[in-house]
Amino acid sequence: MRPDCERCGAALPAESAGAFICSLECTFCATCAEAMDDICPNCGGELVDRPTRAVRHHASNPPGTVRRFKG
C-alpha cells in the first residue's frame, strides 16, 4: 500500500480510510480523486476506495514506505 497521494503528497496511512486506487494501484487522496472525477490520470482507470489494512497485519505484511509524490 502506497503511503502518499501521487498528486499532492498527502499522507495515506494503511490503517485509515480516505485513499483511492485504480486497478494498477495508482494511489490518490479523496480530495485529489474528487478533483479528477475518480479517473486515474496515469492509466485512465476508475479510482475506487482503497481498503484499509488492520494494524495486526503490519508486521507480516507491512505497508509501503516509498513515497511517490515528486512535488
Side-chain angles (χ1 to χ4, degrees):
M1 298 182 104
R2 295 183 180 165
D4 63 331
C5 174
E6 293 181 33
R7 185 171 183 239
C8 74
L12 300 171
E15 65 278 358
S16 66
F20 288 76
I21 61 171
C22 69
S23 64
L24 298 177
E25 297 185 12
C26 301
T27 307
F28 301 94
C29 68
T31 301
C32 288
E34 184 177 331
M36 298 181 296
D37 294 324
D38 294 320
I39 301 296
C40 178
N42 301 328
C43 67
E46 177 184 16
L47 293 173
V48 298
D49 288 320
R50 180 181 77 179
T52 58
R53 182 174 295 170
V55 175
R56 70 177 185 270
H57 297 298
H58 285 204
S60 60
N61 296 291
T65 57
V66 176
R67 296 185 66 85
R68 305 289 176 158
F69 180 65
K70 304 297 182 201

